[in-house]
Amino acid sequence: MLIDRQKAAEILTENDDFLIISHANPDGDTLGSAYGLCGILQGMGKRAKTICADEVAPRMEYLKKAVIPQEFEEKCIVTVDVADVKLLGALEEKYGDNIYLAIDHHESRKEFARYTVVDSTAAATCEMIFEIAQLMKAKLNSNIAACLYTGLSTDTGCFKYSNTTSRTHNIAASLIEYDFHHAELNYKLFDVKTRGRIDLEMRLMRDMEFFCNDKIALVTITSELMDEFQGRVDVEDFNGLASMPRQVEGVILGVTIKQKGENVFKVSMRSEEPITAAKLCSLFGGGGHARAAGCTINGNLEFVRAKLLPVLEKAVKSV
Amino acid sequence: MLIDRQKAAEILTENDDFLIISHANPDGDTLGSAYGLCGILQGMGKRAKTICADEVAPRMEYLKKAVIPQEFEEKCIVTVDVADVKLLGALEEKYGDNIYLAIDHHESRKEFARYTVVDSTAAATCEMIFEIAQLMKAKLNSNIAACLYTGLSTDTGCFKYSNTTSRTHNIAASLIEYDFHHAELNYKLFDVKTRGRIDLEMRLMRDMEFFCNDKIALVTITSELMDEFQGRVDVEDFNGLASMPRQVEGVILGVTIKQKGENVFKVSMRSEEPITAAKLCSLFGGGGHARAAGCTINGNLEFVRAKLLPVLEKAVKSV
């Protein structure tokens, strides 16, 4: 059942013994929402704990400071930033059928909870948590503020992307009034790279291919390459590479081909107007946003390239 | 004479025929302030024009849309984001003695104008321009908002650095209500790199040196290296490299040595608590902020390294 923020605030106010679940392979928004909401509920004198199917990355360990670990039997299960029950990962089997409240900002969702509050205009689920906390007249502190700020910051590329709104900036303004070190936190979240990641980026940059007068840039990540970097990079280090090719000046279509299995390749595209990444990806059964989209093509790398490149070149040449 | 924002608003309201000057080697804040204020004054029915000793970088050309070019003899000269009359560059000789109003946010300044409004708590001079515009009840439009946003965004690393305050976020919230494409603008300002710059970064990363169990990272930019990259990189591409060494995970002191003349080297340091960059640089006659500072050492590279490295290693070992 779809509800509004006010009703969500009432549910949280009226219940107790909360278990808050983040999505698997967790990012800053799902974790910031979970630890932030957990801290807020504890501050209201309630019992609350949070779990995730996967580990919290070391650079986000600070989020845990918002919460005092508590042992109790959960009565009210809440998911945050979870668009599909499958995204609970290993926790789906145990909790999937018993989600009482889902708080989320994803546009495309599969409903699974008894009550769902969703707002796809929110840049981050943390925006919604902040607003629900206000409706509950809950008190924040610097640790909770750091959690909610983390969600805002990570989901918007530090207020850089088009999903950032006035509302995002206004909430950020309220949050940094609490005395946490937002600059240090952003430094950890955005600037620091492992030496393995740096080596990987250098390799990918070196081997980047250009087509159509350098308007298309292509990066290829094969299983062999991943094996070669095994042990030198974290699993996380293979994420966030899709934005690399379009960072090169003059490129209007950046493409990343990443091997997912023996004959399975995930293709990510980032485009500039008037190239529509979603439209190009839809030709291969994929989709996404206008300027950031993806598709999966089966076959060996040679086959994938032969299928993909002529289509991309035609699209860019027609501009 | 030091004045407040209200008095600055009165001066701007009462005068006409403005010439607004940016500092030489202009950044987003000085240009955003100049074109933004110029557009604001033109919108109030006044004559206003803006100049700078140096060219506007192509990625910031869009700022010019805020202004309609006008020809007239200037009567009231205003500088924006200029901390010292020397920073007017080639324009100092002609205008240096006749600055009527200086609007600036730098903490250390040398006064040169008849009236000066300065606020070192402002993250950017554009914050002050926005507030003065409000006091004048001036109307903004999307082009002017894009100018002021550019100053906020560039001086704070897109709201990433510690100079970002609630005030910065609140002003950003007001500005993006105007319909300009802040994400496209940020993409141009922060993400795009020339192929020459990418090659340069790869070279510097490859040759980066590590000391003290990889806690110190050192990048060296010699005249030979700059000559080698001549023609392949823009002059601008040699800026902003000082943050590179500290982006490596585990590094608490990032150092960049950049050759300035035959026996002159500029040393930039970026540090993490408890290492104080300003303190280390002061040992060599330099200074700056706690976590970002610089100094100049004379001698050949071997001499500079021999002078510098033992001091840095001692500081890091004592942590």
Side-chain angles (χ1 to χ4, degrees):
Chain A
M1 183 184 174
L2 282 173
I3 57 169
D4 63 10
R5 281 178 190 62
Q6 183 58 50
K7 175 72 181 163
E10 283 163 21
I11 288 173
L12 292 168
T13 305
E14 285 161 11
N15 284 276
D16 204 344
D17 298 328
F18 293 94
L19 174 67
I20 304 159
I21 315 183
S22 293
H23 65 69
N25 190 16
D27 59 15
D29 191 28
T30 197
L31 292 172
S33 295
Y35 283 97
L37 179 57
C38 195
I40 288 165
L41 293 170
Q42 288 185 352
M44 292 165 73
K46 294 174 183 293
R47 277 182 296 268
K49 56 189 176 183
T50 175
I51 50 168
C52 178
D54 299 308
E55 295 277 300
V56 175
R59 67 201 164 89
M60 291 201 265
E61 279 284 324
Y62 65 87
L63 297 172
K64 296 182 177 172
K65 285 192 295 181
V67 164
I68 297 155
Q70 295 179 330
E71 292 285 337
F72 59 88
E73 201 184 319
E74 60 269 8
K75 288 192 194 127
C76 184
I77 305 179
V78 181
T79 62
V80 285
D81 200 43
V82 178
D84 186 322
V85 73
K86 283 189 180 24
L87 299 173
L88 294 180
L91 299 175
E92 184 193 352
E93 204 186 323
K94 184 168 178 192
Y95 299 109
D97 293 331
N98 293 303
I99 311 299
Y100 194 69
L101 173 64
I103 306 174
D104 187 31
H105 75 126
H106 289 91
E107 193 159 2
S108 62
R109 283 182 48 80
K110 280 191 184 154
E111 297 314 333
F112 55 84
R114 175 137 171 213
Y115 295 103
T116 299
V117 52
V118 61
D119 177 2
S120 63
T121 70
T125 299
C126 278
E127 275 191 27
M128 301 173 66
I129 304 286
F130 176 84
E131 290 163 339
I132 291 168
Q134 282 193 310
L135 291 171
M136 296 195 295
K137 300 194 190 340
K139 277 188 186 140
L140 306 189
N141 59 37
S142 62
N143 289 329
I144 294 170
C147 287
L148 301 185
Y149 179 91
T150 297
L152 261 59
S153 172
T154 52
D155 261 23
T156 61
C158 211
F159 311 99
K160 204 195 275 177
Y161 303 148
S162 58
N163 60 346
T164 310
T165 64
S166 293
R167 175 178 159 196
T168 319
H169 275 298
N170 280 324
I171 294 174
S174 299
L175 291 172
I176 65 174
E177 292 278 0
Y178 294 88
D179 198 26
F180 66 96
H181 298 289
H182 62 91
E184 265 179 51
L185 190 154
N186 287 329
Y187 173 72
K188 277 184 200 160
L189 294 172
F190 296 103
D191 291 340
V192 176
K193 293 175 184 180
T194 63
R195 285 175 76 169
R197 166 75 182 218
I198 291 168
D199 289 344
L200 177 64
E201 284 186 13
M202 282 170 64
R203 168 68 78 86
L204 295 176
M205 275 293 179
R206 194 196 70 186
D207 295 343
M208 196 181 283
E209 296 171 89
F210 293 90
F211 305 91
C212 278
N213 292 322
D214 300 348
K215 289 199 177 81
I216 300 175
L218 172 66
V219 154
T220 308
I221 306 162
T222 59
S223 297
E224 290 82 49
L225 186 82
M226 286 189 263
D227 288 347
E228 188 190 322
F229 276 86
Q230 187 84 41
R232 290 167 60 202
V233 298
D234 303 332
V235 184
E236 254 203 346
D237 284 334
F238 280 107
N239 297 331
L241 292 165
S243 62
M244 259 179 74
R246 204 169 87 76
Q247 282 173 20
V248 182
E249 194 182 50
V251 170
I252 60 172
L253 177 60
V255 184
T256 309
I257 300 178
K258 192 173 170 185
Q259 190 160 11
K260 287 288 176 184
E262 206 188 321
N263 280 308
V264 186
F265 290 86
K266 171 85 201 295
V267 180
S268 301
M269 300 191 200
R270 299 288 182 271
S271 69
E272 196 169 305
E273 272 187 63
I275 303 288
T276 310
K279 209 168 126 193
L280 287 171
C281 287
S282 73
L283 299 175
F284 302 96
H289 303 286
R291 308 283 163 245
C295 59
T296 300
I297 304 180
N298 297 320
N300 63 27
L301 184 55
E302 205 182 345
F303 174 84
V304 171
R305 288 173 63 105
K307 222 177 150 183
L308 195 62
L309 287 172
V311 174
L312 304 185
E313 289 182 303
K314 195 182 155 198
V316 168
K317 271 180 189 152
S318 72
V319 169
Chain B
M1 184 183 173
L2 282 174
I3 56 169
D4 62 10
R5 279 177 191 64
Q6 182 59 49
K7 175 72 181 160
E10 284 162 22
I11 288 172
L12 292 169
T13 305
E14 285 159 12
N15 284 277
D16 203 343
D17 297 330
F18 292 94
L19 174 67
I20 305 161
I21 315 183
S22 293
H23 64 69
N25 191 16
D27 59 12
D29 193 27
T30 196
L31 292 173
S33 295
Y35 284 97
L37 179 57
C38 195
I40 288 165
L41 293 170
Q42 288 186 351
M44 292 166 73
K46 293 174 184 292
R47 277 183 295 268
K49 55 189 176 183
T50 175
I51 49 168
C52 179
D54 299 309
E55 294 278 299
V56 174
R59 67 200 165 90
M60 292 201 266
E61 279 284 324
Y62 65 86
L63 296 172
K64 296 182 178 172
K65 286 192 294 181
V67 165
I68 297 155
Q70 296 179 329
E71 292 286 337
F72 59 90
E73 200 183 318
E74 59 269 7
K75 290 193 191 124
C76 184
I77 305 179
V78 182
T79 62
V80 284
D81 200 44
V82 178
D84 186 322
V85 73
K86 282 188 180 26
L87 300 174
L88 295 180
L91 300 175
E92 184 193 351
E93 204 186 324
K94 182 166 180 193
Y95 299 108
D97 293 333
N98 293 303
I99 312 298
Y100 193 69
L101 173 64
I103 307 174
D104 187 30
H105 76 126
H106 290 92
E107 193 158 3
S108 61
R109 282 182 49 80
K110 280 191 184 154
E111 298 314 333
F112 56 84
R114 174 137 173 214
Y115 295 104
T116 298
V117 53
V118 62
D119 177 2
S120 63
T121 70
T125 298
C126 278
E127 275 191 27
M128 300 173 66
I129 303 286
F130 176 84
E131 290 163 340
I132 291 168
Q134 282 193 311
L135 291 171
M136 297 193 294
K137 302 196 190 337
K139 277 188 186 139
L140 307 189
N141 59 37
S142 62
N143 289 329
I144 294 169
C147 287
L148 302 185
Y149 179 90
T150 296
L152 261 60
S153 172
T154 52
D155 260 23
T156 60
C158 209
F159 311 98
K160 205 195 273 178
Y161 303 148
S162 57
N163 60 346
T164 311
T165 65
S166 293
R167 175 178 159 195
T168 319
H169 275 297
N170 279 323
I171 294 174
S174 299
L175 291 172
I176 65 174
E177 293 277 1
Y178 295 87
D179 198 25
F180 64 95
H181 297 289
H182 63 90
E184 263 178 51
L185 190 154
N186 287 328
Y187 173 72
K188 276 184 199 158
L189 295 170
F190 296 103
D191 291 340
V192 176
K193 293 175 184 180
T194 64
R195 286 175 76 169
R197 166 75 181 218
I198 291 168
D199 288 345
L200 177 64
E201 285 186 13
M202 282 170 65
R203 167 71 77 86
L204 295 176
M205 275 294 179
R206 193 196 72 186
D207 295 344
M208 196 181 284
E209 296 171 90
F210 293 90
F211 305 91
C212 277
N213 292 322
D214 301 346
K215 288 198 177 82
I216 300 175
L218 172 65
V219 155
T220 308
I221 305 162
T222 59
S223 297
E224 289 83 48
L225 187 80
M226 285 188 265
D227 289 346
E228 189 189 323
F229 277 86
Q230 187 84 42
R232 290 169 59 203
V233 299
D234 303 332
V235 184
E236 254 204 345
D237 285 334
F238 280 107
N239 295 332
L241 292 163
S243 61
M244 258 180 74
R246 204 170 87 76
Q247 281 173 19
V248 182
E249 193 181 51
V251 169
I252 61 173
L253 178 59
V255 185
T256 308
I257 300 179
K258 192 173 170 184
Q259 191 159 9
K260 288 287 176 184
E262 204 187 322
N263 280 307
V264 186
F265 290 86
K266 172 84 200 298
V267 181
S268 301
M269 300 190 199
R270 300 288 182 270
S271 69
E272 196 169 304
E273 271 188 65
I275 303 287
T276 309
K279 211 169 126 191
L280 287 170
C281 287
S282 74
L283 299 174
F284 301 97
H289 303 286
R291 309 283 163 242
C295 59
T296 299
I297 305 179
N298 297 320
N300 62 27
L301 184 57
E302 205 183 346
F303 175 84
V304 171
R305 288 173 61 104
K307 223 178 149 182
L308 195 63
L309 286 171
V311 175
L312 304 186
E313 290 182 303
K314 196 181 155 200
V316 168
K317 271 180 188 150
S318 71
V319 169

